[in-house]
Amino acid sequence: MTITNAEISKMLRRIAFLLEMDSNKDDKNINFKNKAYLRAADQIENLPVRLETIYKENGLIGLLQIPSIGKAISSKIEEYLNTGKIEYYEKLQIKYPIDVDDFLGLEGIGPKTLKEILDTTTIRNLNDLESLIKEKKLRRIPGFSEKKEVNLLKKIQSHRIGKSRFLLGDLFPIINQIENYLTGNEKVSKLIVVGSFRRMKETIGDIDLLVVSKHPSDIIDDLITLPEIEEILSRGTSKAFVRLKNGIDLDMLVVPEDSFGSASLYFTGSKEHGIQLRKLAQGRDYRLNEWGLFDNKTGQKLAGDSETEIYNLLGLEWIPPEMRENHGEIEMAKRHSRQWINKIQNLVEYESLKGDLQVHSNNTDGQLSIEEMAYFAKTKFHLDYIAITDHTKSLAIAKGLDEQQLLDQLIKINEINDRIKSGDFFVEENRPKSNRDRNNYLKEAGTKNLKDNRNKDDKKFRILAGAEVNILKDGSLDISNNVLDRLDIIGAAIHSNFSLTEEIQTERLIRAAQNPSVDIIFHPTGRIINKREGYPVNISKLLFTAMETNTVLEIDAHYNRLDLKDEFIRMATDTGVKMVIDSDAHHSLHYAFLKFGIAQARRGWAERDDILNVLPVSDLLKNLK
DNA sequence: GCCGTTTTCGGCCCGACTGTTTTCAGTCG
């Protein structure tokens, strides 16, 4: 039997829910107990390694090393892993025989409210509750009313539809639109999109907007009349919460100028990062909220307009938004060590990539020719090199290339490189005509804030001949090494047999990494965010082999992959394994995705030195196998 | 139930919004 971290986490949430139902405000212990279960659940959800693996390798001791997991919870996890059940939970279920999962995440009705309903009725699940409301019986319970019935019914219905998180890349254009719309409002003196968007998390739950204005209620009036708005969920004097027609929620906070820093800190999150900061404040007899940092004794406001000032008063260095996850950054920032200050200064920067090492052409499943991909890489995105890495023959669905076709492509690439060197390639007459704004992505998002770091000398641009070679079931490749060795750069990737065990899957990747022709493992875990988990890989073992064989791991920047994910990037930087950030472009517009890969690298604390394609092409090639 | 730069007991983040509460609890972010 195999039990995932998600399942364990959910089980702990069920227990927390029932414990909170069971609590009353006089019993402090039970009140904090449920929070402890929730903390543990959060922690487990963010863990890069499976608890099952930790338990198999190190037993209870291993579990106890995880923050927020102590004696009681670790032994319950042990019981769950061994028996598939937790007796403690079963007992709570006897007391409260309800389908807890039905109510987890149901907005507007928490454990306390549910308890009140259960005191006078015998509902078990969401259907029962819905019937109760439809029969107008809920309003008979003290504290409930017709108004509450109406609200609850709506919430039950939207809960049924389910709300999954949106992909960062999907929301980018919409968020830019809203940003532009409100920036045009003369009463808005500052506007910033905060929340998980500012942290560049791979998925976004809702859009958080922070506005500085002297007229908060006017701004809120303007916001709620936006035509994109489907429903106003709540509205106060400084905050508004609305649902947009595309299904995403938007949360807006309006503050005065001197609260901009504290509000952006509070609103950028993460929640756990914020909690840690407020605890630090508490330790100094300060109070930190969205309005500022205050001295408890004097009531005086100590800081508020800048994030840096607040961090400093709490004894910390400023922390970049992408790192604010309470994954150890606060402890590090506390120490003021040279190492940490260097880490922050050397974090890989946006616009710092000189090349893109996974690019597809219309020789396989790409949409544009090699010439077009090169032309736009240079002229629109100011890259100095790209690698054409088309699929290989066993990936029939993408018209993968065979040995001869790869060699033919090599000749063609050499010809284009010769034209580039002679200076007649990047000229306006050569501008490909097929690319006329096929979609708005580039216009709205892709080129925004692009720094012009154009190398005046266009003749230096280089196309590397490469391939995205298919890793077969046994870890061998579908193209012979003597052909691969004639190309400049080789990425290997898994595109089939996803359901093998972790051991076999890891062995496949290790064999590929040990192949002397393979420079990079492309999208190492194969996940598609919100669609497919990715095959199971023992990342530690893969990293060890990568280190031994000088194999590079890719951060695939396509926003539906972002593979490696942030925790794995962190592990790679700790191991000293080098990475590259590639767009996996199938169209020139896709080069815009590189920024998502950089964001992911920053979330994984990667420095410039960890990322090889910040280097000029000659240095890059020297660093490969 | 967890945890430790006031540590092995005694704490545990903070404020806005909603509803019908006439002073606050529940829920959320």
Side-chain angles (χ1 to χ4, degrees):
Chain A
M1 175 167 45
T2 190
I3 295 180
T4 65
N5 287 5
E7 285 169 309
I8 296 168
S9 179
K10 186 156 198 185
M11 179 54 92
L12 297 179
R13 283 185 206 287
R14 291 183 191 123
I15 294 175
F17 192 91
L18 293 181
L19 280 174
E20 199 173 349
M21 282 181 74
D22 210 32
S23 71
N24 61 71
K25 56 177 179 290
D26 304 322
D27 191 343
K28 291 263 165 54
N29 270 346
I30 292 189
N31 270 319
F32 287 109
K33 207 196 257 191
N34 60 53
K35 290 197 177 68
Y37 276 91
L38 287 176
R39 264 203 317 275
D42 284 343
Q43 187 66 237
I44 289 166
E45 246 170 25
N46 289 318
L47 229 51
V49 194
R50 297 181 79 149
L51 283 182
E52 212 168 42
T53 312
I54 294 174
Y55 181 67
K56 216 189 284 173
E57 285 170 6
N58 295 307
L60 264 182
I61 308 281
L63 299 179
L64 280 166
Q65 275 160 1
I66 301 162
S68 306
I69 294 180
K71 248 162 79 179
I73 294 183
S74 62
S75 68
K76 289 189 179 71
I77 293 172
E78 179 178 46
E79 183 190 350
Y80 192 36
L81 287 172
N82 287 330
T83 68
K85 293 199 290 197
I86 297 178
E87 202 183 324
Y88 186 64
Y89 175 66
E90 315 261 299
K91 279 190 182 151
L92 283 166
Q93 274 271 271
I94 293 170
K95 195 164 177 190
Y96 301 103
I98 51 165
D99 296 346
V100 185
D101 289 359
D102 269 19
F103 299 102
L104 285 179
L106 173 61
E107 270 180 39
I109 181 163
K112 295 272 163 49
T113 313
L114 192 58
K115 172 80 178 348
E116 271 181 63
I117 298 172
L118 279 179
D119 283 344
T120 50
T121 69
T122 54
I123 66 161
R124 278 193 71 103
N125 52 37
L126 208 53
N127 284 338
D128 295 348
L129 178 60
E130 196 174 11
S131 313
L132 198 69
I133 295 171
K134 286 188 171 156
E135 291 161 18
K136 306 185 180 187
K137 285 183 184 160
L138 187 67
R139 64 183 71 169
R140 293 186 199 160
I141 303 172
F144 291 85
S145 63
E146 190 180 346
K147 195 165 185 182
K148 268 197 173 172
E149 282 185 341
V150 173
N151 278 341
L152 261 181
L153 201 57
K154 259 202 260 174
K155 297 211 158 129
I156 290 172
Q157 278 152 2
S158 60
H159 181 71
R160 284 242 167 77
I161 298 164
K163 208 175 73 176
S164 61
R165 293 175 65 88
F166 292 75
L167 299 190
L168 173 63
D170 282 336
L171 286 188
F172 223 80
I174 305 163
I175 287 179
N176 280 327
Q177 252 175 32
I178 296 173
E179 230 179 332
N180 290 339
Y181 178 85
L182 285 170
T183 310
N185 188 322
E186 79 266 12
K187 289 179 192 133
V188 172
S189 58
K190 246 182 215 167
L191 180 139
I192 174 178
V193 185
V194 281
S196 44
F197 181 80
R198 183 161 178 241
R199 305 202 309 280
M200 294 292 270
K201 226 182 144 182
E202 60 202 29
T203 60
I204 309 285
D206 56 16
I207 301 171
D208 295 310
L209 273 184
L210 173 63
V211 174
V212 170
S213 173
K214 289 187 175 123
H215 314 279
S217 70
D218 290 354
I219 300 291
I220 288 171
D221 285 343
D222 287 350
L223 175 82
I224 62 179
T225 51
L226 266 179
E228 284 83 1
I229 286 173
E230 171 84 23
E231 192 188 350
I232 297 160
L233 299 169
S234 80
R235 176 209 198 292
T237 52
S238 63
K239 271 187 180 177
F241 197 31
V242 300
R243 178 155 301 152
L244 302 182
K245 283 182 179 145
N246 66 6
I248 195 162
D249 291 346
L250 186 150
D251 208 349
M252 182 166 79
L253 174 68
V254 188
V255 297
E257 181 73 46
D258 65 355
S259 292
F260 180 67
S262 45
S264 73
L265 205 52
Y266 155 79
F267 225 21
T268 298
S270 63
K271 189 174 133 208
E272 284 305 318
H273 182 88
I275 288 174
Q276 294 309 317
L277 293 185
R278 289 192 284 276
K279 280 185 181 167
L280 278 180
Q282 204 180 33
R284 293 173 181 237
D285 206 11
Y286 298 157
R287 198 174 78 255
L288 176 64
N289 56 39
E290 57 264 58
W291 307 101
L293 180 68
F294 301 89
D295 189 317
N296 279 334
K297 279 197 214 80
T298 63
Q300 198 197 346
K301 183 166 176 176
L302 304 170
D305 57 354
S306 97
E307 285 189 349
T308 309
E309 211 178 337
I310 294 168
Y311 274 115
N312 291 345
L313 282 167
L314 296 177
L316 306 173
E317 304 291 328
W318 180 80
I319 299 172
E322 297 92 333
M323 299 172 90
R324 299 182 193 169
E325 296 289 347
N326 192 31
H327 288 170
E329 73 280 6
I330 291 177
E331 289 71 15
M332 292 287 286
K334 235 186 252 178
R335 283 186 224 137
H336 302 282
S337 67
R338 195 67 236 162
Q339 186 202 357
W340 172 252
I341 292 167
N342 284 342
K343 167 84 79 192
I344 300 297
Q345 282 173 354
N346 297 331
L347 216 56
V348 60
E349 288 164 307
Y350 293 98
E351 314 304 333
S352 65
L353 298 180
K354 291 203 164 58
D356 187 345
L357 300 174
Q358 192 189 158
V359 174
H360 297 266
S361 80
N362 59 6
N363 288 342
T364 58
D365 62 347
Q367 295 176 53
L368 303 182
S369 66
I370 297 174
E371 288 91 334
E372 288 171 310
M373 291 307 282
Y375 189 91
F376 289 113
K378 173 72 201 165
T379 57
K380 284 269 189 223
F381 293 89
H382 315 309
L383 296 173
D384 294 337
Y385 55 91
I386 57 171
I388 297 295
T389 52
D390 276 318
H391 291 287
T392 52
K393 62 186 176 189
S394 63
L395 198 65
I397 194 164
K399 303 181 295 176
L401 306 179
D402 62 21
E403 277 89 348
Q404 189 52 52
Q405 288 169 313
L406 279 171
L407 293 173
D408 291 347
Q409 184 160 285
L410 171 66
I411 293 170
K412 187 173 177 194
I413 288 173
N414 285 339
E415 284 168 8
I416 303 171
N417 277 329
D418 287 343
R419 283 177 55 203
I420 292 171
K421 268 188 217 150
S422 74
D424 82 338
F425 186 78
F426 294 109
V427 289
E428 185 53 32
E429 306 90 87
N430 281 342
R431 181 185 151 76
K433 304 294 187 284
S434 59
N435 193 45
R436 241 170 283 138
D437 296 333
R438 272 184 212 172
N439 67 50
N440 289 327
Y441 200 96
L442 185 68
K443 233 176 13 192
E444 287 170 359
T447 56
K448 193 169 181 278
N449 300 329
L450 264 188
K451 198 171 73 188
D452 191 350
N453 58 357
R454 193 182 324 224
N455 182 348
K456 292 283 181 286
D457 191 358
D458 288 347
K459 295 178 188 174
K460 278 192 183 154
F461 187 87
R462 178 160 170 202
I463 306 170
L464 299 173
E468 177 176 4
V469 189
N470 225 358
I471 300 174
L472 302 173
K473 193 172 179 182
D474 64 354
S476 63
L477 306 179
D478 68 339
I479 300 288
S480 65
N481 279 47
N482 56 10
V483 171
L484 296 181
D485 286 344
R486 293 178 62 183
L487 305 179
D488 298 309
I489 191 161
I490 300 299
I494 285 179
H495 294 103
S496 58
N497 297 105
F498 283 28
S499 52
L500 302 172
T501 64
E502 180 174 309
E503 286 74 14
I504 297 175
Q505 213 64 270
T506 307
E507 198 45 49
R508 256 176 117 183
L509 288 166
I510 285 177
R511 236 192 109 187
Q514 285 168 338
N515 188 311
S517 300
V518 171
D519 299 299
I520 310 170
I521 302 288
F522 281 166
H523 45 74
T525 74
R527 72 163 178 170
I528 306 284
I529 303 172
N530 281 359
K531 289 225 174 83
R532 154 177 113 196
E533 277 268 322
Y535 38 80
V537 184
N538 185 324
I539 290 287
S540 309
K541 285 187 183 161
L542 177 61
L543 286 171
F544 185 75
T545 306
M547 188 180 62
E548 279 192 325
T549 57
N550 190 30
T551 306
V552 177
L553 298 189
E554 181 190 59
I555 300 168
D556 190 309
H558 194 297
Y559 62 82
N560 69 14
R561 286 192 183 269
L562 294 172
D563 176 10
L564 300 172
K565 63 177 172 182
D566 46 9
E567 292 100 334
F568 293 159
I569 295 169
R570 183 102 178 260
M571 289 166 77
T573 58
D574 288 345
T575 322
V577 168
K578 302 291 183 198
M579 290 165 281
V580 292
I581 299 170
D582 301 333
S583 68
D584 202 348
H586 287 68
H587 188 285
S588 64
L589 299 172
H590 299 167
Y591 291 128
F593 299 159
L594 286 170
K595 65 174 162 292
F596 302 127
I598 297 172
Q600 195 76 348
R602 290 167 66 86
R603 292 179 53 81
W605 299 22
E607 298 176 31
R608 279 190 289 278
D609 288 351
D610 297 313
I611 307 295
L612 288 182
N613 53 332
V614 304
L615 297 172
V617 66
S618 54
D619 294 343
L620 166 87
L621 292 172
K622 273 182 229 154
N623 274 281
L624 298 177
K625 267 183 211 172

